[in-house]
Amino acid sequence: MSMPMHECLLQMVEEAHSLEDYQSGVPRWCSGCGDNAVLAAVQRLCRDENLRPEKLAFVSGIGCASRFPHYMRTYGFHGIHGRALPIAEGVKMARPDLHVFVNTGDGDCCSIGAAHWLHAIRYNMNMTVVLHDNHVYGLTKKQVSPTSPKGLRSNTTPHGSYLDAMNPLTVTLGVTNVSFVAQAVDWIPEVVHAVIKAAFHHQGFSFVRIIQRCPEFLPKMWEPWLHDPQKTLLLEHPDGIGYSAGLQKIYKNRQSHDPSDIHRAREIASSIDPVPVGILFRDESVPCYEDIRAAGKPRPIEMIKAGLEAELDKFTVWPDADEPARSAV
């Protein structure tokens, strides 16, 4: 006997998902690459929140981190270099019902995509943006990126980079309508998961910077931080993230920080030694652009179909279109 429609719908809502429901393919990142830690944290978040795979969309640009959508069994869009954010904004405007994630690298976001990054902060659309910052162009084999430290010898700067590194946190905190900024390091998985979870639950543009290692081209860059817990600063607050007793036992360098204090957030964000982790800033009052423009309503199916047909018609070869040309010859 067939199941009644209302019971089918109830079963869909109550269906539990496992990690395997979000996993697709075998990641091809280097062993020890921080991208693996971020992928594990995101897949764990999806499972814990029991998110329906068909309600998830992952968007990326170009770079090592941008292979992320390939490893998620969800909707995904692997865009061109620097254009992940405008693509994600288009997805959110057309389908505000989807949970949109953006995975971008320090070159993809902070260099060729910098203008899109700044305006995406200002639009404050409801999406979770993870900046995988390994301080180098890894996919194209070691070129200096905007976040590379001064003096780094690379294929494009054989005598060492001339400029101080850009700080993505202070840049983001300086843009109008900023609403959520957090930071984690890939070698503390608990914090990576906690900040991404907090970002997911924030209503607005959630910017999470993950400081991560590149074992291939910068294998020793973060070694002092790995071996000295005092070089990591845990940000604590009732409106921040919590830390397990085990983690607090190891990382004793902790500081109370109110995420509503943007001026203090900017000061903390400027530090690299110790490196701060946790939520730096959060403001739930900033309106989301898609709510202002579309009031959160999906586009009618008829409008979507008409739009697709119009685009496809541009490339359609109609059988009768070339008849006049043949008769004139």
Side-chain angles (χ1 to χ4, degrees), residues 99-114:
H99 301 294
V100 178
F101 288 77
V102 176
N103 294 88
T104 181
D106 43 297
D108 189 60
C109 175
C110 305
S111 182
I112 190 171

Side-chain angles (χ1 to χ4, degrees), residues 85 113-123 171-172 175-176:
L85 287 167
H116 295 304
W117 167 36
L118 300 184
H119 288 289
I121 300 167
R122 189 168 64 94
Y123 293 155
V171 172
T172 303
V175 179
T176 302

Side-chain angles (χ1 to χ4, degrees), residues 8 18 52 58 90 99 116 137 148 167 172 222 224 228 248 265 291 317:
C8 292
S18 64
R52 291 162 55 187
F58 285 82
H99 301 294
H116 295 304
Y137 282 93
S148 296
N167 186 327
T172 303
W222 294 101
D228 184 2
Q248 294 184 55
D291 293 336
V317 179

Side-chain angles (χ1 to χ4, degrees), residues 126-320:
N126 188 23
M127 61 181 68
T128 304
V129 179
V130 180
L131 172 64
H132 301 238
D133 190 357
N134 63 1
H135 306 79
V136 70
Y137 282 93
L139 187 67
T140 49
K141 309 299 185 287
K142 196 178 182 181
Q143 291 82 30
V144 69
S145 88
T147 63
S148 296
K150 187 176 182 178
L152 177 69
R153 294 179 181 273
S154 73
N155 292 331
T156 48
T157 55
H159 302 292
S161 58
Y162 300 99
L163 301 176
D164 289 325
M166 172 189 285
N167 186 327
L169 298 179
T170 56
V171 172
T172 303
L173 287 165
V175 179
T176 302
N177 288 343
V178 59
S179 69
F180 185 98
V181 180
Q183 179 165 264
V185 291
D186 75 354
W187 54 91
I188 311 181
E190 177 183 320
V191 177
V192 175
H193 176 263
V195 297
I196 293 178
K197 179 179 179 179
F200 171 75
H201 285 286
H202 174 73
Q203 185 71 18
F205 186 88
S206 302
F207 183 82
V208 178
R209 181 200 191 192
I210 308 292
I211 292 178
Q212 65 181 62
R213 295 161 290 174
C214 177
E216 183 69 23
F217 300 115
L218 299 177
K220 297 185 181 298
M221 181 174 175
W222 294 101
E223 283 295 307
W225 281 261
L226 267 68
H227 299 295
D228 184 2
Q230 287 299 111
K231 295 174 76 67
T232 299
L233 176 65
L234 302 186
L235 300 178
E236 298 180 316
H237 193 268
D239 195 31
I241 61 173
Y243 305 101
S244 66
L247 193 69
Q248 294 184 55
K249 186 176 181 180
I250 298 172
Y251 294 94
K252 299 179 180 180
N253 188 7
R254 302 191 294 273
Q255 182 180 119
S256 177
H257 167 62
D258 183 355
S260 67
D261 187 346
I262 192 170
H263 301 294
R264 182 60 184 147
R266 289 166 179 159
E267 293 175 358
I268 295 173
S270 300
S271 173
I272 193 64
D273 192 4
V275 59
V277 298
I279 299 177
L280 285 91
F281 180 70
R282 173 160 46 196
D283 182 0
E284 299 281 357
S285 67
V286 183
C288 296
Y289 186 75
E290 67 270 27
D291 293 336
I292 298 172
R293 288 294 308 275
K297 296 179 180 178
R299 296 180 182 180
I301 294 178
E302 294 76 13
M303 181 184 293
I304 297 173
K305 183 177 179 180
L308 289 172
E309 293 289 357
E311 288 301 314
L312 294 173
D313 284 349
K314 295 177 182 178
F315 305 97
T316 300
V317 179
W318 300 103
D320 299 330

